[in-house]
Amino acid sequence: MPLTPETLPRHELVGLRVRVVESTNPDSVGIGGRVVDETMRTLVIEGDRVRRVPKRGTTFEFALPRTDEAADAEKASGTTLELPSETAGRTGQSAGCEGVAYVTVDGARLLSRPALRTEKAGVSTWR
């Protein structure tokens, strides 16, 4: 299954670039970096330092590597190809990076054990 905006919640998040765009905790907004670990209720993000951010009540923006399948899917999903200039400076990412699509995901969609969330239908290889 290719990594597209629609399939993002069913994929491994460790290794993806991410930024917190909204949160019930105002101190979390703007945290960005690479996902280094994931638990059922949190993402661990390594940027200027390592921070644990709760999924519930948080909206994340993930940078996905673009593929032909992802490019077709983003037209229907509202994915943007570049960060707005005001947010690009906060995360250290440059707007208009080639080969990257930015996808916004409500953290509530990611609330589950990573192994269960990423399973395919049928018999689980995790048990």
Side-chain angles (χ1 to χ4, degrees), residues 21 23 35 40 100 108 123:
V21 292
S23 179
V35 178
M40 184 172 163
V100 177
V123 178

Side-chain angles (χ1 to χ4, degrees), residues 96-108:
C97 292
E98 292 298 318
V100 177
Y102 294 92
V103 180
T104 304
V105 178
D106 182 2

Side-chain angles (χ1 to χ4, degrees), residues 7-16 18 34-46 50-56 60 62 105-119 126:
T7 63
L8 176 70
R10 300 211 28 100
H11 278 274
E12 177 67 45
L13 302 177
V14 174
L16 293 178
V18 67
R34 188 167 305 278
V35 178
V36 292
D37 193 18
E38 178 185 10
T39 67
M40 184 172 163
R41 294 188 178 97
T42 65
L43 287 180
V44 179
I45 302 170
E46 182 178 34
V50 177
R51 298 178 189 193
R52 184 173 299 273
V53 179
K55 293 176 183 176
R56 186 179 310 274
F60 298 97
F62 289 91
V105 178
D106 182 2
R109 290 185 61 202
L110 304 173
L111 282 173
S112 64
R113 295 188 191 282
L116 295 176
R117 194 186 71 238
T118 58
E119 286 184 346
W126 296 100

Side-chain angles (χ1 to χ4, degrees), residues 52-113:
R52 184 173 299 273
V53 179
K55 293 176 183 176
R56 186 179 310 274
T58 306
T59 302
F60 298 97
E61 184 177 67
F62 289 91
L64 301 182
R66 288 179 38 108
T67 63
D68 292 338
E69 293 157 348
D72 293 338
E74 76 190 14
K75 293 175 186 171
S77 69
T79 304
T80 182
L81 299 179
E82 56 187 48
L83 286 173
S85 59
E86 69 163 1
T87 59
R90 285 194 296 192
T91 62
Q93 298 172 341
S94 59
C97 292
E98 292 298 318
V100 177
Y102 294 92
V103 180
T104 304
V105 178
D106 182 2
R109 290 185 61 202
L110 304 173
L111 282 173
S112 64
R113 295 188 191 282

